Amino acid sequence: MSKPLRVTLLAIAASAAAASAFAAPDAAPVGDPKVATTQDGKYFDAAGNPTYKIAPNGQVDWYTFSGYRRFNGTCETCHGFDGSGSSFAPDLTQSLKTIGYDDFQKIVINGKQSVNTAESLVMPAFGDNKNVMCYLDDIYVYLRARSDGALGSGRPPSNEAKPKTAIANENDCMGP
Ligand code: HEC
């Protein structure tokens, strides 16, 4: 009799711990977006997280451009054009100032809910959606550029060519 109850309480404690992981992210989760390393047209910051590269003439790296297209294909319905928010979902150009790469991935893969007496907000889980999962870094660097104010609203004026690695990874990830 006492055993199932104990298991239930442990499960509740575990899910409370998982929920607070989103509520209290690391002290400095976002980091400096400055490019530190490059691998075949993909850019990384000093912490090794993906970042954007924007030339003085406005030309963006491939992944930022791809993220712009993917975001506005799937996330825009709730988060507004170019991430600027709507009555259903938060302004991601603000959220990404404090949500770092790891937490961003967790939220998009698992979803997120704030359900209380004042509000009922549900972010769906996209972990099974290849159109999102295969482009998660692309969407991240696009939103990172938007939240830093490095990229305005609308289609970037031009973009770097699609890297060979991006073509190969996309084929592997999306499958036949
Ligand atoms: C059906 C509507 C909907 C769609 C589509 C959607 N979201 Fe969300 N999203 C939400 C809601 C609502 C929240 C707020 C959840 C909460 O506060 O608990 C949210 C929260 C988030 C957050 C956390 C923001 C914060 O300030 O805590 C991120 C990051 C995010 N969404 C990214 C995305 C990305 C990337 C996509 C596209 C792959 C996407 N969302 C698609 C509704 C949506």
Side-chain angles (χ1 to χ4, degrees):
M1 176 78 191
S2 70
K3 202 178 172 201
L5 179 64
R6 198 179 140 76
V7 169
T8 309
L9 289 175
L10 282 175
I12 292 169
S15 65
S20 70
F22 294 131
D26 303 345
V30 175
D32 187 343
K34 198 166 154 292
V35 174
T37 58
T38 304
Q39 239 172 31
D40 189 25
K42 187 162 181 173
Y43 300 90
F44 300 89
D45 65 17
N49 294 327
T51 194
Y52 53 87
K53 183 175 163 235
I54 303 178
N57 68 0
Q59 184 183 63
V60 301
D61 66 282
W62 167 260
Y63 292 94
T64 299
F65 176 65
S66 167
Y68 157 78
R69 291 200 304 189
R70 300 286 159 186
F71 181 88
N72 286 306
T74 308
C75 320
E76 176 262 343
T77 33
C78 294
H79 288 284
F81 190 66
D82 292 340
S84 49
S86 76
S87 50
F88 319 109
D91 179 347
L92 296 179
T93 67
Q94 294 304 316
S95 300
L96 273 267
K97 292 187 198 307
T98 53
I99 295 176
Y101 180 54
D102 292 348
D103 286 326
F104 173 82
Q105 290 183 304
K106 283 183 205 153
I107 293 169
V108 181
I109 292 170
N110 302 319
K112 182 171 185 265
Q113 293 196 21
S114 301
V115 181
N116 58 43
T117 46
E119 58 181 6
S120 171
L121 295 172
V122 179
M123 158 77 189
F126 285 96
D128 291 336
N129 184 333
K130 286 188 174 185
N131 288 312
V132 174
M133 286 303 113
C134 296
Y135 307 97
L136 202 51
D137 283 2
D138 312 31
I139 296 172
Y140 175 71
V141 295
Y142 167 69
L143 290 173
R144 193 174 189 183
R146 291 281 295 131
S147 75
D148 282 344
L151 186 64
S153 185
R155 186 187 171 99
S158 65
N159 56 272
E160 291 178 4
K162 187 170 186 174
K164 285 199 175 70
T165 313
I167 298 170
N169 289 346
E170 183 174 33
N171 290 340
D172 278 357
C173 185
M174 293 299 284

